[in-house]
Amino acid sequence: MELAERLRKIMEKEFGIRTDADLIEAVQDQDGVDLGIFVIPVQKGDVVSAPV
């Protein structure tokens, strides 16, 4: 079984995605990823980590 076929079976079983249209709809409805912590510069005096 090739990888694409295995992924199709997993997507159908886990997420109910059966067609290309289902996949496109699921991707468009997905919330975006907040990458702000990776692009906001750290200023002098900012606490970037604290002991637990």
Side-chain angles (χ1 to χ4, degrees):
M1 181 184 317
E2 66 180 82
L3 180 59
E5 185 178 330
R6 289 175 54 201
L7 289 173
R8 284 187 187 98
K9 287 184 178 190
I10 292 169
M11 288 191 302
E12 182 175 354
K13 179 181 175 187
E14 298 292 324
F15 308 107
I17 297 173
R18 294 180 182 87
T19 65
D20 289 347
D22 290 342
L23 178 59
I24 291 168
E25 182 180 349
V27 170
Q28 289 175 342
D29 290 345
Q30 180 176 323
D31 292 336
V33 177
D34 182 7
L35 299 176
I37 63 169
F38 299 108
V39 296
I40 298 172
V42 178
Q43 302 294 322
K44 184 176 181 179
D46 286 351
V47 177
V48 293
S49 65
V52 178

